[in-house]
Amino acid sequence: MNPSALPGQPHAEDPFHAGERELQARAGVRERLAEIGRRVIRDHMPDQHRELFGKLPFLVAGSLDEAGRPWASLLAGAPGFVTTPDARTLRVGALPQPDDPLARQLAVGQPLGLLGIELPTRRRNRVNGRVRALDAGGITVAVEQSFGNCAQYIQARSPLPRAAPPREAPARVEREGARLGERARALVAGADTLFIATAAAGGADVSHRGGRPGFVRVDERGGRTVLTLPDFRGNHFFNTLGNIALHPRAGLSFVDFERGDLLLLTGRAQIVWDGPEVQACAGALRLLRVEVEQGLWLASALPWAWSAPEPAPQLQATGTWEAPHRS
């Protein structure tokens, strides 16, 4: 449906905060985005977004810990575990694992960024809001912003059932420090998909990034692991980078699609605007660099395996890093 035909913000003010506006101006799209944003960023979920959320087997959640560090977590359940009682309320019928940072951050009034992404069809929609209620069965979120994202850079995959660990044997949790272990580095270096959480202006947000396997570069610098990923052409909203401009931190989540394991990382973030590094990765307009501070490996956190990926067509115009960089 043509976005201009959909109801948008019920008020006249610009929905973008100062960091997003700054980056839009730098990219030369500020005036155009000011008008588009009022049409496509809503204070409620349109019916097609509600329909998508109801079909999903997992939901990505972005939150902030007590130190102001973002984390990107995944909540999973049988399709139908996410419901929308009305256009301004989203209900998640699941809770994070006890060791997931999201479990410590959940409280009424806390901001949450949510991403619904249907990998087989490459559909994705975003909801940003605040926790309205918590109970033993899940989380109720009051919607403050709702908007769609395009299907670019999403690798299509379909969920396949796999044997879940016994109920009395919860997922194994291993902690990662500022220097990632070999298994974590291997997962990141071979990833074609990640989820990134950021925060600014009192809210939280989470988004998707995709590329050819190897699009995330893994370096070791001063005893820390540093991850560098290209920022490809997108919708020019600059939600993620605009947040980082104001609050230079990010949380990254990587999925082992064969085993259902999750790697959750958080660290300091910076934007690399130009120079030889940007030119070294085909398709990159700029780079995002994250210096890891800590992380968690959650084994068997997702109850499925996934089919082999069908690469997004946009990847034909993108590249990877030719060799690791160490300093």
Side-chain angles (χ1 to χ4, degrees):
M1 184 181 294
N2 184 348
S4 63
L6 296 172
Q9 294 282 108
H11 40 70
E13 56 263 30
D14 194 323
F16 298 111
H17 63 59
E20 295 162 330
R21 295 195 299 268
E22 175 188 338
L23 270 69
Q24 291 165 8
R26 182 167 185 153
V29 296
R30 177 71 202 110
E31 291 186 12
R32 180 166 64 88
L33 266 294
E35 175 59 30
I36 291 175
R38 292 186 178 93
R39 296 202 308 266
V40 302
I41 299 179
R42 311 169 186 89
D43 65 351
H44 63 280
M45 297 172 289
D47 288 345
Q48 63 265 46
H49 291 197
R50 298 173 67 186
E51 176 265 339
L52 176 69
F53 283 117
K55 299 194 301 180
L56 299 176
F58 72 90
L59 188 69
V60 190
S63 63
L64 279 170
D65 69 14
E66 62 279 0
R69 298 173 300 192
W71 292 86
S73 304
L74 271 71
L75 298 165
F81 85 106
V82 180
T83 57
T84 54
D86 58 63
R88 290 181 170 86
T89 306
L90 186 143
R91 169 73 180 175
V92 184
L95 292 169
Q97 296 184 35
D99 291 285
D100 188 318
L102 178 60
R104 299 193 304 271
Q105 283 120 237
L106 283 176
V108 173
Q110 288 298 306
L112 278 184
L114 300 174
L115 170 67
I117 183 167
E118 187 177 47
L119 295 181
T121 63
R122 299 190 172 100
R123 290 178 64 190
R124 57 174 164 167
N125 294 313
R126 306 259 280 278
V127 162
N128 295 334
R130 295 186 180 274
V131 177
R132 177 182 292 167
L134 288 170
D135 56 56
I139 311 160
T140 302
V141 178
V143 174
E144 295 178 348
Q145 285 190 333
S146 173
F147 55 101
N149 279 161
C150 63
Q152 293 189 99
Y153 313 112
I154 299 175
Q155 293 23 287
R157 288 177 164 93
S158 296
L160 306 170
R162 70 176 176 86
R167 185 177 299 275
E168 63 272 15
R172 188 175 69 255
V173 177
E174 298 180 18
R175 301 193 180 277
E176 293 284 345
R179 185 168 188 169
L180 296 181
E182 181 177 351
R183 179 180 57 174
R185 292 198 306 271
L187 178 61
V188 172
D192 61 25
T193 297
L194 64 87
F195 303 104
I196 178 168
T198 56
D205 182 74
V206 69
S207 187
H208 160 277
R209 291 290 187 274
R212 296 175 184 267
F215 83 112
V216 182
R217 197 178 77 201
V218 183
D219 302 334
E220 302 296 337
R221 298 178 180 175
R224 289 179 176 268
T225 298
V226 178
L227 309 181
T228 304
L229 57 144
D231 187 57
F232 300 132
R233 185 177 303 278
N235 61 10
H236 293 118
F237 282 14
F238 292 107
N239 304 119
T240 296
L241 298 189
N243 283 349
I244 289 171
L246 297 184
H247 186 69
R249 292 181 174 272
L252 304 177
S253 179
F254 296 87
V255 181
D256 183 328
F257 285 101
E258 292 185 12
R259 294 179 173 82
D261 297 349
L262 292 177
L263 175 64
L264 311 183
L265 304 174
T266 192
R268 296 190 175 273
Q270 70 175 113
I271 303 167
V272 179
W273 291 102
D274 48 35
E277 276 191 291
V278 178
Q279 299 167 12
C281 189
L285 300 181
R286 56 197 72 82
L287 306 176
L288 174 60
R289 181 166 290 147
V290 178
E291 182 180 280
V292 175
E293 292 182 331
Q294 63 176 260
L296 289 171
W297 184 286
L298 305 177
S300 301
L302 295 179
W304 310 278
W306 294 78
S307 64
E310 179 185 335
Q314 296 81 19
L315 299 192
Q316 297 177 17
T318 70
T320 61
W321 305 97
E322 294 183 358
H325 293 240
R326 297 179 180 271
S327 60

